Amino acid sequence: MEKMLIEGGHTLNGKVRISGAKNSAVALLPAAILADSDVTIEGLPEISDVNTLGDLLEEIGGKVKQDGQTVHIDPSQMVSMPLPNGKVKKLRASYYFMGAMLGKFNQAVIGLPGGCNLGPRPIDQHIKGFEALGAEVTNEQGAIYIRAKELVGTRIYLDVVSVGATINIMLAAVKAKGKTIIENAAKEPEIIDVATLLTNMGAKIKGVGTDVIRIEGVESLHGCRHTIIPDRIEAGTYAIAAAAAGNEVIIDNVIPQHLESVLAKLREMGVEMQAADEQLLITPKNPLKSVDIKTLVYPGFPTDLQQPFTTLLTKAENTGVVTDTIYSGRLKHIDELRRMNAIIKVEGGSAIVSGPVQLEGARVTANELRAGASLVIAGLMANGITEITGLDHIDRGYEKITEKLLNLGANVWREEMTDHEIEQFQNS
Ligand code: EPU
């Protein structure tokens, strides 16, 4: 087990290339189940979530060949194998095996998904969608059993705007009989990416990117080649890191429109930037002004960048209020940031960040993915050395983060933890 060490105070400069979108990748891979012939996906991020999903595709009989960032999946020998335990528990996105296997085999048995602990993360809207399409869904000893004689298109209104439920229902509906209409659908770019793959496979989908998606079921889907979109959350993380500790940072392979809410907030703080076709140039000017942020569904401010942004606010003048309306429990980074000298009060579910303060290096733990990113940024800003444990979480979502930061001029490295440190970490 490794820990990350960051010596703060080194200014970031230069160019960082953004990887393919994690939250697309984790849906595109299961979507390949629906095809009858080879699917090739290019530009996948090299992160542990992608490896885990590749292993799961092999468990059900897929032939998966990974060639760097390109993955070839031959789904022709896949079978409707139950996946009640094991790797499905490792990540949240294993729930996409439900929709994809239901769509392909009219049945699925999938263990309740794992993933970051952000407070309650129900999947009632996914289940509501499967049931509306004609499936019977039961929860037996921690696994979801889904069976249908046949899937028949219908109108489904989502009570909560959900990325996962929107994608999962699309996966189940593309081969259903007749027309499915998903109302109050989520509009995230990752949903458009999945719909693009499905359309290339022969699916008939309209309205993606709006809140009404219309799907006309087809008999069969074929293989195709697809290139994934860049990761807007990784790009946003580096933009925030650049604002926090950079001089001139170019973020390459980004779609700036996907980050409009975040860039608007950075501008409001006084961060200067220029957006080009696939690049962003971030040139922060001090002092920064505090802003309030409230996370919302896309195109609002993304919950996945709330924690990195909270770290940035410690450097800004006055008080900024951070409210996460998507995951009210996503505050696990606060105690760790306080260890580093941050002044943050939690009141009524909002974090009130007072600044500016000089963060100090400390031993901290990443207890989920984006909390981890917020601590990495804090380490870049802090005096002295910050030691971060819990890297498994960070490696689930950020490709080669140590190398990318080193290239930008940060002083960051990894070390094996001693047995004593591992014991302390496991008991924390
Ligand atoms: N919700 C329900 N019922 C459901 C589904 C969702 O009440 O059936 C609620 C959730 O509890 C939450 C809200 O609806 O309060 C939105 O959840 P959503 O379903 O949109 O989230 P998700 O699909 O589980 C994806 C990303 C998350 C990201 C959210 C919001 C993946 C694998 N995960 O989760 O990514 O935070 O959308 O944008 O795509 C991350 O990358 O760090 C991460 C957690």
Side-chain angles (χ1 to χ4, degrees):
M1 199 182 277
E2 287 182 330
K3 60 184 176 183
M4 183 186 281
L5 292 104
I6 305 174
E7 184 189 49
H10 295 263
T11 307
L12 304 183
N13 267 305
K15 194 190 306 190
V16 57
R17 187 168 168 83
I18 299 307
S19 305
K22 162 191 166 269
N23 287 345
S24 273
V26 296
L28 295 171
L29 289 164
I33 295 172
L34 288 158
D36 294 331
S37 50
D38 287 14
V39 174
T40 300
I41 305 172
E42 292 172 344
L44 284 168
E46 293 177 48
I47 52 173
S48 56
D49 271 9
V50 164
N51 301 335
T52 307
L53 289 169
D55 293 346
L56 284 169
L57 291 174
E58 284 183 333
E59 272 187 46
I60 63 166
K63 293 202 181 77
V64 180
K65 219 170 70 196
Q66 186 151 9
D67 183 5
Q69 296 176 340
T70 302
V71 172
H72 308 274
I73 302 150
D74 171 2
S76 58
Q77 309 295 316
M78 282 183 183
V79 288
S80 142
M81 168 95 78
L83 296 170
N85 289 306
K87 293 205 160 128
V88 287
K89 303 275 184 195
K90 276 191 152 180
L91 76 169
R92 179 93 187 142
S94 47
Y95 56 34
Y96 291 132
F97 275 69
M98 295 179 191
M101 289 179 80
L102 178 63
K104 172 99 167 205
F105 304 115
N106 279 353
Q107 58 178 9
V109 177
I110 310 290
L112 275 170
C116 289
N117 179 3
L118 313 176
R121 297 179 79 183
I123 56 165
D124 55 304
Q125 298 303 305
H126 305 229
I127 291 169
K128 172 179 168 176
F130 300 149
E131 286 177 338
L133 290 166
E136 191 185 301
V137 185
T138 52
N139 179 345
E140 295 171 29
Q141 292 164 342
I144 304 290
Y145 284 68
I146 312 170
R147 308 172 188 92
K149 278 204 185 76
E150 68 169 351
L151 296 169
V152 180
T154 184
R155 185 181 283 268
I156 300 160
Y157 177 85
L158 295 180
D159 303 319
V160 180
V161 181
S162 157
V163 176
T166 303
I167 293 179
N168 236 340
I169 296 168
M170 270 195 328
L171 296 173
V174 279
K175 290 182 72 188
K177 206 162 150 192
K179 188 183 253 180
T180 300
I181 300 175
I182 309 173
E183 293 174 322
N184 204 25
K187 295 184 270 200
E188 271 69 1
E190 293 76 19
I191 297 169
I192 302 178
D193 204 21
V194 177
T196 307
L197 170 83
L198 293 169
T199 305
N200 289 340
M201 283 162 54
K204 292 195 176 144
I205 308 174
K206 285 188 189 153
V208 194
T210 76
D211 53 12
V212 182
I213 298 178
R214 292 184 164 77
I215 302 167
E216 191 69 53
V218 293
E219 280 285 310
S220 64
L221 294 170
H222 48 76
C224 69
R225 215 179 171 87
H226 177 80
T227 303
I228 195 169
I229 56 167
D231 194 317
R232 65 193 165 99
I233 305 301
E234 190 198 13
T237 303
Y238 283 102
I240 294 167
N247 180 27
E248 271 199 15
V249 175
I250 297 171
I251 298 171
D252 186 34
N253 192 35
V254 56
I255 300 175
Q257 290 80 356
H258 287 174
L259 275 171
E260 248 156 31
S261 55
V262 179
L263 301 182
K265 281 292 166 188
L266 287 174
R267 281 198 197 95
E268 220 177 297
M269 290 181 80
V271 177
E272 291 187 3
M273 66 186 75
Q274 284 171 43
D277 230 12
E278 291 186 354
Q279 287 192 339
L280 265 175
L281 169 67
I282 310 277
T283 44
K285 295 273 173 294
N286 287 320
L288 296 176
K289 295 188 289 270
S290 262
V291 293
D292 295 341
I293 61 166
K294 191 180 258 189
T295 70
L296 292 167
V297 294
Y298 188 83
F301 193 99
T303 167
D304 296 337
L305 289 173
Q306 172 263 110
Q307 291 154 304
F309 212 93
T310 301
T311 302
L312 175 64
L313 286 176
T314 64
K315 186 180 173 174
E317 289 184 334
N318 289 324
T319 303
V321 180
V322 179
T323 310
D324 196 326
T325 71
I326 310 291
Y327 297 115
S328 54
R330 207 170 202 183
L331 295 168
K332 293 206 168 59
H333 55 311
I334 304 281
D335 281 344
E336 303 303 292
L337 288 175
R338 282 188 187 134
R339 280 177 208 267
M340 297 180 71
N341 211 28
I343 302 172
I344 307 178
K345 274 195 294 192
V346 176
E347 264 179 36
S350 294
I352 302 163
V353 189
S354 301
V357 292
Q358 173 58 55
L359 296 179
E360 299 293 334
R363 287 194 172 147
V364 288
T365 300
N367 29 38
E368 52 107 344
L369 170 59
R370 309 300 173 187
S374 78
L375 297 177
V376 171
I377 296 171
L380 298 170
M381 294 159 71
N383 268 333
I385 296 197
T386 298
E387 264 188 44
I388 306 175
T389 50
L391 299 190
D392 276 7
H393 290 294
I394 299 178
D395 292 338
R396 281 192 40 227
Y398 288 94
E399 178 181 307
K400 299 193 175 98
I401 187 167
T402 315
E403 290 85 337
K404 288 187 184 187
L405 288 172
L406 266 176
N407 274 339
L408 287 174
N411 191 15
V412 49
W413 67 100
R414 291 182 184 229
E415 278 178 13
E416 276 302 324
M417 289 165 71
T418 62
D419 290 346
H420 178 62
E421 284 173 333
I422 294 174
E423 203 183 308
Q424 272 185 329
F425 168 69
Q426 282 164 346
N427 293 333
S428 67

